[in-house]
């Protein structure tokens, strides 16, 4: 049984999850720290210690079951499939009650009533969602707010964190943000963002619930009873008041489970195929332009490092170390969000620039290696014929170095094609992001995953083939030696 | 044509050239011989500024080279279009055809029109006996053929002086003859040449003068009849004695 608990497998006995929890004395719940304050976050004084109103609720709930609560870190958009797979006992992290989720897992009675709140820039001419037709509206991926936006004629812009939607609203990259009132009050209409106002009037009401597997009715019942008891004896109110979240909505009546808005794809149809093709288009476009930027940057850096004076050498070295030694994700964040107050780039421009600057550092090393691999005699022969340094580089060294560099360059391009999936953090919906959205909508990874893989291959294989031909052409004079 | 005055060069503490002085007049062919490590290559490289020297002066084809200055860009360019060099290892550009190897420098250094450069390349290929190989890549040629292309490439800049550093040492014996024939032909045509070589018959039959270089200096300098047949210095006696064996 210890093994069973460790690998988190599901037992056929419906009573056993609750029995197992009691036996091991621990109730595990899946949640995502990225949700941050006030839900669940690390104590800044002691990061091993968690804070947040959901942590308090879980502790109280576990106590009422006679056990201890333990958080398991999972990406928020994967909480439901991970619960179904059996990675933890319950899912508890701002999980909204929706008809869609009710089909997949058992939803508890609510522990919180939220309101979808629309935030806009101060003075903007928008008063309701209807005023925003055709405009870019930010929200979190796969939330109820996302579904509401999908049912409207607006362009949803998807984020993974709570800060970024409002940062982009301030930067005028979006016209509004639709999110839970908790998030809106904490990250949106706050004194440090005087430009942002939260509009009165709830766009929709909804509830946060705890998810259990459909095979665990006993556990679901125990949790429902515990929540009801917490509500009855005032512990829930105390916890919510402590987090400054108590309001008139919490006393009921509770809103109905939101009916299926009918906006989520249910099969991989022509519409989906079109969206995937569009995602692949972004992937290819961003990768190609980023590489076109990376190649000249790499050449300049390589020439500076191999032939430059001390200053140029040093500067090029710093560039390479900086861009190669830090995560490209961080560079994208800095470029898109960090520099925004001074230099506000569009998401696609920032994606191309970020990947191009980053890959420039890698290309620099490829070309440097190739240049260092050139025999000295080539330079001497060119010099002796009167060619200047740049002429020698351009007519003699670069063409030969290119031939050496081509295989690693092809490699880098294919790798860039895949790394371009990182630009979804700056709201570009490229191929991989499209796949993850479809996987949640279709409730399965298989078909979207296959489609995504096939499209990546369809992009990379012709490119490697092209590179292979180019290589053959360039290397006419260098047949491989027989061994 | 060439005037070398009290040339000195050291690599760190090791003196490589010590007080070398020499004069070469137009149309001469100088065979440079001597034991390994004597400084033959270094002297040649100083003459077209592939190496710098520490003291002394070189005047070559009207260009004056001074110590340590790699020379201003313009001086260097002038020098190198007037002084050609042929290397032991050919150093052809492997990514270019024979014709492109020959026309590259005239086109980009002297802005010769491509058609004019190509015509000249074909003349030169004809002269070195490779008229039909203009579109071959270097790897498709034998060593002897490659060296002849390298000579044609140097000639394409219409140099006044040609420097050869052991042009036949990397070749099989049966290919040396074809390269020697080209050098002999150039000598007959009045080209001024300095040839570092171990080929006895170049020293005896083609050269107008022979220099024996040892430990950074010119140990002996004179016509072949004198230097090869009746050497005065011990190093020359040893050197030619060894070669005759
Ligand atoms: N880059 C260098 N650093 C230090 N010493 C060097 C360097 N290049 C040449 N030398 C030294 O200078 C001396 C002359 O070398 P050079 O190549 O001119 O001789 P050489 O007469 O051409 O010999 P060989 O017949 O073997 O080609 C040698 O002792 C050599 O070790
Ligand atoms: Mg030598």
């Amino acid at each position: 049984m210890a093994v069973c608990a460790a690998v988190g497998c599901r037992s056929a006995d419906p009573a056993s999850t609750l029995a197992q929890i009691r036996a091991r004395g621990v109730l595990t719940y899946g949640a995502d720290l990225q949700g941050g304050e006030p839900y669940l976050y690390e104590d800044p004084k002691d990061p091993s210690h968690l804070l947040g109103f959901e942590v308090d609720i879980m502790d109280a709930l576990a106590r009422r079951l006679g056990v201890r609560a333990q958080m398991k870190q999972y990406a928020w958009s994967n909480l439901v499939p991970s619960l179904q797979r059996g990675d933890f006992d319950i899912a508890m992290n701002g999980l909204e009650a929706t008809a869609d989720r009710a089909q997949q897992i058992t939803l508890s009675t609510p522990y919180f009533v939220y309101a979808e709140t629309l935030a806009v820039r101060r003075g903007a001419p928008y008063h309701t969602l209807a005023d925003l037709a055709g405009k870019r509206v930010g929200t979190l991926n796969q939330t109820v707010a996302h579904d509401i936006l999908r049912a409207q004629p607006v362009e949803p812009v998807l984020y993974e964190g709570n800060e970024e939607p409002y940062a982009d609203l301030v930067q005028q990259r979006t016209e509004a943000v639709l999110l839970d009132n908790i998030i809106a009050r904490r990250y949106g209409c706050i004194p440090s963002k005087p430009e942002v106002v939260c509009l009165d009037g709830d766009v929709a009401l909804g509830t946060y619930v705890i998810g259990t597997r459909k095979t665990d009715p006993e556990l679901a019942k125990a949790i429902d009873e515990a929540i009801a008891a917490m509500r009855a004896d005032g512990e829930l109110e105390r916890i919510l008041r402590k987090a400054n979240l108590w309001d008139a909505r919490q006393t009921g009546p509770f809103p109905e489970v939101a009916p299926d808005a009918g906006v989520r794809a249910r099969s991989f149809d022509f519409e989906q195929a079109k969206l995937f093709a569009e995602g692949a288009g972004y992937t290819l476009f961003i990768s190609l332009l980023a590489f076109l930027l990376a190649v000249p940057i790499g050449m300049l850096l390589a020439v500076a490092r191999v032939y430059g004076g001390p200053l140029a050498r040093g500067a090029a070295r710093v560039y390479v170390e900086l861009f190669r030694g830090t995560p490209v994700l961080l560079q994208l964040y800095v470029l898109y969000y960090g520099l925004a107050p001074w230099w506000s780039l569009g998401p696609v421009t920032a994606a191309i620039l970020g990947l191009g600057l980053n890959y420039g550092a890698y290309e620099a090393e490829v070309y440097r290696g190739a240049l260092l691999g050139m025999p000295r005699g080539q330079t001497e022969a060119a010099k002796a014929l009167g060619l200047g340094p740049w002429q020698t580089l351009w007519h003699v060294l670069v063409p030969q170095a290119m031939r050496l560099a081509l295989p690693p360059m092809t490699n880098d391009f294919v790798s860039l094609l895949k790394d371009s999936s990182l630009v979804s953090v700056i709201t570009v919906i490229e191929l991989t992001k499209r796949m993850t959205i479809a996987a949640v909508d279709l409730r399965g990874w298989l078909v979207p995953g296959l489609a995504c893989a096939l499209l990546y291959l369809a992009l990379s294989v012709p490119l490697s083939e092209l590179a292979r031909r180019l290589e053959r052409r360039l290397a006419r004079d260098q047949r491989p030696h027989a061994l | 044509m060439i005037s070398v005055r009290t040339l000195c060069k050291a690599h760190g503490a090791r003196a490589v050239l010590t007080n070398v002085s020499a004069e070469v007049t137009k149309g001469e062919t100088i065979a440079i011989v001597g034991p390994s490590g004597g400084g033959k290559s270094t002297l040649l490289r100083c003459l077209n500024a592939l190496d710098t020297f520490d003291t002394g002066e070189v005047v070559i084809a009207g260009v004056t080279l001074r110590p340590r200055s790699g020379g201003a860009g313009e001086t260097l360019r002038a020098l190198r279009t007037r002084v050609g060099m042929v290397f032991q290892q050919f150093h052809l550009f492997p990514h270019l055809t024979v014709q492109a190897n020959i026309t590259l420098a005239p086109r980009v250094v002297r802005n010769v029109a491509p058609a004019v450069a190509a015509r000249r390349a074909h003349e030169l290929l004809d002269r070195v006996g490779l008229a039909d190989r203009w579109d071959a890549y270097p790897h498709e040629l034998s060593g002897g053929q490659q060296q002849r292309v390298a000579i044609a490439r140097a000639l394409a800049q219409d140099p006044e002086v040609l420097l050869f550093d052991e042009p036949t040492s990397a070749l099989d014996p049966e290919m040396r003859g074809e390269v020697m024939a080209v050098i002999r032909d150039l000598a007959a045509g009045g080209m001024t040449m300095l040839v570092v070589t171990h080929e006895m018959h170049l020293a005896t039959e083609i050269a107008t003068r022979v220099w024996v270089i040892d430990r950074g200096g010119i140990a002996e300098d004179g016509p072949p009849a004198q230097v090869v047949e009746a050497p005065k210095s011990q190093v020359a006696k040893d050197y030619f004695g060894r070669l005759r064996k």
Side-chain angles (χ1 to χ4, degrees):
Chain A
M1 201 202 82
V3 174
C4 203
V7 300
C9 62
R10 219 180 314 165
S11 165
D13 180 2
S16 69
T17 300
L18 184 57
Q20 277 173 26
I21 290 167
R22 291 226 156 94
R24 59 179 130 91
V26 173
L27 170 66
T28 58
Y29 65 104
D32 188 354
L33 281 168
Q34 212 193 343
E37 273 187 76
Y39 300 90
L40 167 115
Y41 56 99
E42 284 168 351
D43 187 345
K45 288 187 215 103
D46 171 15
S48 69
H49 186 222
L50 295 180
L51 299 176
F53 79 96
E54 293 191 333
V55 177
D56 292 343
I57 292 175
M58 276 314 299
D59 286 344
L61 205 117
R63 194 186 67 239
R64 284 164 195 263
L65 296 182
V67 294
R68 188 165 57 77
Q70 189 183 62
M71 197 278 263
K72 297 218 162 185
Q73 170 62 40
Y74 277 82
W76 189 83
S77 42
N78 279 336
L79 284 180
V80 171
S82 300
L83 172 70
Q84 288 177 307
R85 201 169 54 227
D87 290 355
F88 37 76
D89 299 321
I90 63 175
M92 198 285 188
N93 191 200
L95 205 64
E96 304 120 322
T98 61
D100 188 42
R101 289 203 179 104
Q103 278 178 24
Q104 303 174 67
I105 55 176
T106 306
L107 304 180
S108 72
T109 59
Y111 62 85
F112 185 77
V113 180
Y114 67 84
E116 297 294 358
T117 303
L118 199 58
V120 297
R121 277 189 303 280
R122 194 174 297 282
Y126 313 116
H127 304 288
T128 65
L129 209 45
D131 299 337
L132 285 154
K135 301 282 191 278
R136 288 161 60 84
V137 182
T139 192
L140 293 179
N141 189 16
Q142 299 299 343
T143 54
V144 166
H146 182 194
D147 281 354
I148 293 173
L149 290 182
R150 287 208 264 186
Q152 299 286 327
V154 301
E155 183 189 337
V157 181
L158 301 181
Y159 298 87
E160 299 291 335
N162 295 340
E163 292 275 6
E164 294 86 347
Y166 297 102
D168 268 7
L169 177 62
V170 171
Q171 288 305 320
Q172 313 197 2
R173 286 164 167 161
T174 57
E175 291 302 309
V177 173
L178 183 67
L179 279 172
D180 298 359
N181 57 332
I182 295 190
I183 298 174
R185 294 269 127 71
R186 182 75 54 155
Y187 298 94
C189 29
I190 48 177
S192 66
K193 288 201 184 75
E195 305 92 332
V196 177
V197 284
C198 291
L199 296 180
D200 291 333
D202 305 336
V203 173
L205 285 182
T207 57
Y208 289 158
V209 295
I210 292 175
T212 49
R213 288 182 285 272
K214 293 222 182 230
T215 49
D216 290 334
E218 282 239 348
L219 177 60
K221 182 159 168 281
I223 284 171
D224 274 347
E225 283 167 6
I227 293 175
M230 284 167 69
R231 201 175 278 289
D233 64 18
E235 183 169 24
L236 185 63
E237 182 176 342
R238 269 205 309 286
I239 290 172
L240 292 178
R241 274 192 194 284
K242 181 177 137 203
N244 205 10
L245 291 171
W246 185 261
D247 57 32
R249 302 183 188 101
Q250 307 309 323
T251 49
F254 301 135
E256 292 292 310
V257 169
D260 191 334
V263 292
R264 297 188 174 215
R266 283 296 169 246
S267 64
F268 198 88
D269 53 11
F270 183 65
E271 266 318 297
Q272 280 298 306
K274 254 176 34 192
L275 289 171
F276 269 65
E278 189 186 280
Y282 272 111
T283 294
L284 185 64
F285 178 73
I286 288 170
S287 304
L288 273 178
L289 289 190
F291 207 64
L292 281 181
L293 184 64
V295 168
I297 289 177
M299 281 191 185
L300 266 172
L301 290 170
V303 168
R305 279 194 80 175
V306 177
Y307 302 107
L311 204 72
R313 268 204 318 267
R317 170 124 196 259
V318 167
Y319 181 101
V320 169
E321 297 299 343
L322 188 71
F323 278 88
R324 206 179 45 170
T326 58
V328 62
L329 204 61
L330 175 69
Q331 293 160 24
L332 287 169
Y333 258 97
V334 169
L335 204 60
Y336 185 70
Y337 295 113
L339 298 184
W342 304 278
W343 194 30
S344 185
L345 294 163
V348 174
T349 315
I352 291 167
L353 202 59
L355 290 173
L357 291 174
N358 181 265
Y359 268 74
Y362 288 94
E363 293 317 291
E365 289 302 275
V366 168
Y367 304 147
R368 189 168 75 95
L371 283 176
L372 290 176
M374 298 307 307
R376 225 172 73 122
Q378 292 290 307
T379 315
E380 298 218 315
K383 262 196 198 172
L385 285 166
L387 272 71
W390 289 105
Q391 292 173 332
T392 302
L393 255 178
W394 187 247
H395 294 286
V396 176
L397 298 180
V398 167
Q400 296 186 64
M402 266 305 167
R403 201 169 56 181
L404 287 181
L406 204 60
M409 275 172 82
T410 312
N411 212 27
D412 281 351
F413 185 78
V414 172
S415 157
L416 169 61
L417 210 53
K418 292 176 292 174
D419 270 4
S420 69
S421 67
L422 293 171
V423 305
S424 67
V425 299
I426 55 175
T427 76
V428 179
I429 301 189
E430 43 59 66
L431 188 48
T432 299
K433 181 73 172 179
R434 175 54 62 198
M435 187 270 293
T436 58
I437 294 173
V440 176
D441 284 1
L442 303 177
R443 292 185 212 145
W445 291 83
L446 192 62
V447 175
L450 270 176
C452 175
L454 283 176
L455 280 166
Y456 271 112
L457 286 176
L459 297 181
S460 67
V461 171
L463 279 160
S464 349
E465 177 59 27
L466 196 75
R468 212 174 57 88
R469 288 190 187 184
L470 194 61
E471 207 177 302
R472 264 213 310 253
R473 242 182 64 108
L474 289 178
R476 292 172 282 232
D477 55 308
Q478 273 196 339
R479 305 269 172 269
H481 314 284
L483 285 177
Chain B
M1 181 60 59
I2 305 174
S3 162
V4 180
R5 286 177 214 131
T6 60
L7 195 70
C8 291
K9 176 179 176 64
H11 274 298
R14 164 184 291 158
V16 180
L17 294 176
T18 49
N19 239 353
V20 176
S21 294
E23 297 285 331
V24 178
T25 54
K26 189 168 162 53
E28 276 198 286
T29 299
I30 313 283
I32 304 177
V33 300
S36 178
K40 306 183 293 292
S41 297
T42 308
L43 176 61
L44 223 54
R45 292 165 59 83
C46 285
L47 294 185
N48 77 340
L50 281 182
D51 263 348
T52 56
F53 46 89
D54 303 329
T55 59
E57 188 186 59
V58 173
V59 182
I60 181 166
V63 179
T64 305
L65 297 175
R66 300 194 190 287
R68 259 180 285 270
S69 70
E74 273 316 302
T75 325
L76 270 187
R77 194 160 286 218
L79 167 73
R80 284 172 178 159
T81 54
R82 289 182 212 169
V83 181
M85 180 133 182
V86 174
F87 301 86
Q88 182 176 352
Q89 301 292 343
F90 332 137
H91 299 325
L92 291 181
F93 305 130
H95 61 297
L96 299 177
T97 61
V98 164
Q99 178 180 320
N101 261 279
I102 298 172
T103 56
L104 177 67
R107 280 193 299 109
V108 307
V109 180
R110 292 188 294 136
N111 290 316
V112 176
V116 176
R119 211 174 321 122
R120 174 87 175 119
H122 286 271
E123 277 170 32
L124 290 168
L125 280 172
D126 200 24
R127 194 159 153 197
V128 300
L130 289 168
D132 54 335
R133 302 311 303 273
W134 60 272
D135 62 345
Y137 281 90
H139 75 104
E140 294 166 336
L141 302 177
S142 73
Q145 291 172 327
Q146 289 189 50
Q147 192 61 299
R148 285 187 279 154
V149 172
I151 294 172
R153 181 175 70 174
L155 287 172
Q157 289 285 61
D158 292 324
E160 296 167 34
V161 179
L162 263 187
L163 309 174
F164 293 79
D165 193 354
E166 305 198 28
T168 58
S169 297
L171 300 175
D172 292 336
E174 61 267 29
M175 291 178 194
R176 289 182 183 161
E178 58 196 49
V179 173
M180 291 305 302
V182 171
I183 296 175
R184 184 191 301 272
D185 181 46
L186 287 170
M191 175 63 77
T192 311
M193 294 189 288
L194 273 67
V195 188
V196 176
T197 186
H198 297 296
E199 301 270 346
M200 275 304 283
H201 77 277
L202 193 147
T204 53
E205 293 165 29
I206 304 175
T208 53
R209 254 199 296 163
V210 179
W211 294 351
V212 181
I213 293 192
D214 181 38
R215 278 170 290 165
I218 299 182
E220 204 151 341
D221 174 359
Q226 177 195 318
V227 176
V228 182
E229 303 307 328
K232 288 198 276 289
S233 62
Q234 191 55 42
V235 55
K237 281 177 191 158
D238 290 350
Y239 181 78
F240 292 116
R242 225 177 306 123
L243 279 192
R244 288 217 175 77
K245 258 182 241 160

